Amino acid sequence: MSSRNPSYTNPKPCKHLEDYKLRHGLSGYKSIQKHLKATPHGRTSVEMLNAGVPRCNSCNGFQGRLYLCLICNSVSCLDHTLLHTQSEDGHDLAVDIERAELYCCVCCDQVYDPDFDKVVMSKHNMGVPRDDKHGDESIGERLVKRRRLGLGVAEELVDLKKSKQLVSMRDRRDKSCYPLGLRGLNNLGSTCFMNSVLQALLHAPPFRNYFLSEGHNHEACQRRSGDRLYSFFSTDSGDCQCIAHRVFSGLLRSDVTCMTCGSTSTTYDPCVDISVDLDTSNFSPTDIVNKRSKPNENSSISTLLGCLDLFTRQEKLGSEQKLFCETCQEMRDSVKQMSIRRLPLVLCLHIKRFEHSPVRKMSRKIDRYLQFPFSLDMTPYLSSSIVRNRFGNRIFSVEGDESDIITDFEIFAVVTHSGTLESGHYVTYLRLRNRWYKCDDAWITEVDEEIVRASQCYMMFYVQKMLYQKADEDLSSLPLSPRRDAYLPIAGCCERLFK
């Protein structure tokens, strides 16, 4: 009985890549090896020797993506790379100069080949000092050695003057053995926010497991109308049973109470995320003016719990917002209070870091540090808790009591923003098997927990605790039958929600 490790399962290469390797073997890979340039941060690019800034051979342009043909070594922009493939038979494969990644010009997509990966990894491994003690080797180093088996790389000579830099490079590579399915996403031009949110969505345990277990029937999906396909982003959830709403949709409760007679009007609104203001209760006016936001200053720390308290706090509506009271039959002053009627499986919390002042006619970003927990109990923010607290806990039962609902959540993704309102950058921190990984577009690095806690969070994704614990199991055990919904059944949770 053979065993397999799913962590080293590679995707099947495209037909054009297979044809290229049958004709030319690894000669093209080896010919560009001397042009590969590796940085201490783990990034690899193709550097054309004695060529200065690389330019397209056809239009002489140097902006945007440039590609190196594996057959004739011509450099072209994307448009002329595609034209080059059409005019030259067999010139189907090229290398992205900026990222040292294979690109199929016929499929118009990136392709992956473990042999090419070995060539790139060997460039990183050049000049790294060996440790004679196998017990001191990291998982990343052993993985690199496995990838290099049979490659025939020459002996590695180390320049002692560069040993400090090389050791630093090795330490970064120690954290290069990533979980199954964790891959970077290329920035296609100001798409860092899209990439960051996609990483969070793709690693939401119930959402990810649904697609990996072939719960989505793509053939049936293609026959659906376009407006239905995008109902998750163009309309309210309502009673929609698509996987997106089943995972992310919750229900908010809004109570508006007349300050004269005390009558309350209640409405319910579906939501797929909850936007909260930064809590400034721990800030003095001087702190706010001076924008003090260092995490080590206790007087200037906002907390996520404080933000949620602020979200569910009673708010007196202004005189210009008077509402018509059905009981008084007049326009009355009133107070409004929000609460959560139903929690989703995956809770997305959005921090309002960008604000606009219509009076000053200006917008700005709030660079304030926010302290957030990894484990979150949402019980205090449920409608049942809010209503009981409003009446001094004298109400023993509330309509639709949520006593049986799961309120314990674990964080698994944090989207952060750095920079200003006009110019900034988004990255995502993912928590997989209790390790944190920074997803910066195409670049993936493992980071320490302290880095995540100190980050300027913009969106936080929490999943029900039982689902988070279940996600630690090996994904290879998931059933792959296309005829059944192999959504991970959690007793008392998924079975109840998804029958």
Side-chain angles (χ1 to χ4, degrees):
M1 182 176 179
S2 62
S3 61
R4 64 182 183 91
N5 190 338
S7 300
Y8 307 109
T9 301
N10 297 317
K12 184 178 180 180
C14 75
K15 180 180 182 302
H16 311 100
L17 177 58
E18 291 178 334
D19 293 342
Y20 168 83
K21 294 180 70 174
L22 286 175
R23 295 181 182 179
H24 307 283
L26 303 180
S27 59
Y29 295 173
K30 295 179 180 179
S31 66
I32 68 168
Q33 188 175 37
K34 60 179 177 292
H35 298 291
L36 294 177
K37 179 183 179 182
T39 69
H41 298 284
R43 304 190 181 190
T44 309
S45 60
V46 179
E47 187 178 54
M48 307 307 297
L49 300 178
N50 303 322
V53 178
R55 294 177 179 270
C56 174
N57 294 342
S58 299
C59 64
N60 204 35
F62 62 90
Q63 295 181 341
R65 295 288 179 80
L66 294 176
Y67 297 85
L68 174 70
C69 177
L70 281 178
I71 300 296
C72 62
N73 290 335
S74 64
V75 177
S76 307
C77 62
L78 179 58
D79 291 338
H80 288 107
T81 296
L82 300 179
L83 292 175
H84 176 74
T85 300
Q86 297 172 5
S87 60
E88 299 291 339
D89 184 44
H91 293 221
D92 299 338
L93 275 298
V95 178
D96 186 328
I97 290 180
E98 180 184 354
R99 301 181 184 275
E101 295 173 345
L102 282 179
Y103 184 84
C104 177
C105 304
V106 181
C107 298
C108 296
D109 198 2
Q110 286 182 303
V111 292
Y112 178 76
D113 181 22
D115 291 325
F116 185 80
D117 187 50
K118 290 178 181 179
V119 173
V120 175
M121 291 302 296
S122 67
K123 189 67 176 183
H124 283 278
N125 210 41
M126 290 291 188
V128 178
R130 290 183 176 180
D131 195 333
D132 294 332
K133 296 181 180 180
H134 178 74
D136 293 337
E137 291 180 347
S138 67
I139 296 177
E141 287 173 320
R142 292 197 295 271
L143 175 60
V144 169
K145 285 188 175 181
R146 283 195 292 269
R147 288 180 172 175
R148 295 178 57 227
L149 289 178
L151 190 60
V153 179
E155 291 185 6
E156 302 166 359
L157 301 178
V158 180
D159 184 350
L160 296 179
K161 294 181 180 180
K162 297 181 179 179
S163 60
K164 185 176 181 180
Q165 178 182 1
L166 293 173
V167 169
S168 177
M169 183 192 303
R170 182 184 63 181
D171 291 340
R172 290 188 179 94
R173 232 186 11 263
D174 284 349
K175 299 181 177 181
S176 64
C177 187
Y178 305 134
L180 176 66
L182 181 57
R183 299 282 294 194
L185 299 174
N186 280 343
N187 192 316
L188 306 178
S190 300
T191 61
C192 59
F193 180 67
M194 179 187 72
N195 289 348
S196 299
V197 175
L198 278 177
Q199 289 284 16
L201 295 180
L202 292 173
H203 289 87
F207 195 64
R208 173 200 63 199
N209 295 344
Y210 176 84
F211 288 98
L212 289 181
S213 58
E214 297 190 13
H216 176 70
N217 189 327
H218 67 279
E219 295 180 355
C221 180
Q222 291 176 353
R223 293 194 295 267
R224 298 173 64 188
S225 60
D227 57 342
R228 291 280 294 171
L229 286 175
Y230 298 97
S231 62
F232 178 58
F233 306 99
S234 55
T235 61
D236 292 334
S237 62
D239 295 327
C240 178
Q241 291 300 307
C242 74
I243 183 59
H245 285 118
R246 287 158 61 187
V247 171
F248 295 98
S249 180
L251 194 64
L252 296 179
R253 170 173 170 162
S254 174
D255 293 330
V256 179
T257 303
C258 175
M259 297 182 65
T260 302
C261 68
S263 63
T264 300
S265 173
T266 301
T267 57
Y268 298 94
D269 294 299
C271 66
V272 292
D273 60 14
I274 299 178
S275 296
V276 296
D277 294 296
L278 280 166
D279 173 36
T280 59
S281 59
N282 291 331
F283 286 77
S284 66
T286 305
D287 292 332
I288 298 176
V289 172
N290 295 335
K291 298 181 180 179
R292 294 171 59 190
S293 60
K294 295 181 180 179
N296 59 349
E297 297 183 26
N298 294 329
S299 62
S300 60
I301 291 180
S302 290
T303 66
L304 180 60
L305 299 184
C307 296
L308 291 172
D309 288 337
L310 182 63
F311 177 76
T312 55
R313 187 180 303 168
Q314 280 192 346
E315 173 190 8
K316 182 179 179 181
L317 301 180
S319 57
E320 70 281 358
Q321 296 178 296
K322 286 186 176 182
L323 299 178
F324 183 79
C325 176
E326 293 289 345
T327 303
C328 300
Q329 291 295 304
E330 291 185 24
M331 302 294 291
R332 297 292 194 186
D333 290 329
S334 58
V335 293
K336 179 180 179 181
Q337 188 169 28
M338 300 293 297
S339 60
I340 301 175
R341 172 64 183 84
R342 186 183 71 240
L343 286 166
L345 295 180
V346 174
L347 176 65
C348 175
L349 297 175
H350 163 240
I351 308 301
K352 297 180 181 178
R353 287 198 174 273
F354 304 102
E355 63 180 12
H356 175 71
S357 173
V359 178
R360 298 182 180 179
K361 295 182 178 179
M362 61 177 294
S363 300
R364 73 182 184 98
K365 179 193 172 186
I366 306 174
D367 290 317
R368 192 171 297 147
Y369 173 73
L370 176 67
Q371 186 181 75
F372 56 94
F374 287 2
S375 298
L376 179 64
D377 182 9
M378 292 296 293
T379 302
Y381 315 107
L382 293 179
S383 299
S384 57
S385 302
I386 296 297
V387 174
R388 285 195 182 95
N389 185 64
R390 187 191 307 163
F391 293 97
N393 292 325
R394 289 192 177 95
I395 297 181
F396 294 98
S397 63
V398 180
E399 178 185 0
D401 199 343
E402 303 99 341
S403 58
D404 62 338
I405 200 169
I406 297 176
T407 59
D408 292 328
F409 285 77
E410 286 288 325
I411 198 167
F412 70 90
V414 179
V415 176
T416 68
H417 180 271
S418 60
T420 64
L421 177 65
E422 295 78 16
S423 176
H425 184 58
Y426 294 91
V427 300
T428 296
Y429 293 98
L430 291 176
R431 186 187 185 192
L432 303 173
R433 301 182 184 274
N434 281 325
R435 293 179 180 269
W436 284 98
Y437 300 89
K438 180 182 179 181
C439 303
D440 184 356
D441 286 331
W443 316 115
I444 306 292
T445 53
E446 186 178 347
V447 297
D448 295 327
E449 179 181 303
E450 289 73 18
I451 299 296
V452 182
R453 292 191 182 276
S455 64
Q456 197 171 92
C457 54
Y458 179 66
M459 298 179 71
M460 287 157 292
F461 292 81
Y462 289 83
V463 64
Q464 288 186 2
K465 197 163 192 173
M466 287 198 304
L467 292 177
Y468 177 81
Q469 294 170 346
K470 188 68 175 178
D472 283 343
E473 296 184 0
D474 192 349
L475 291 179
S476 63
S477 63
L478 286 176
L480 297 178
S481 172
R483 297 183 177 273
R484 57 176 295 190
D485 185 349
Y487 196 88
L488 279 181
I490 306 297
C493 174
C494 299
E495 291 178 345
R496 171 169 51 84
L497 290 176
F498 296 149
K499 283 185 177 179

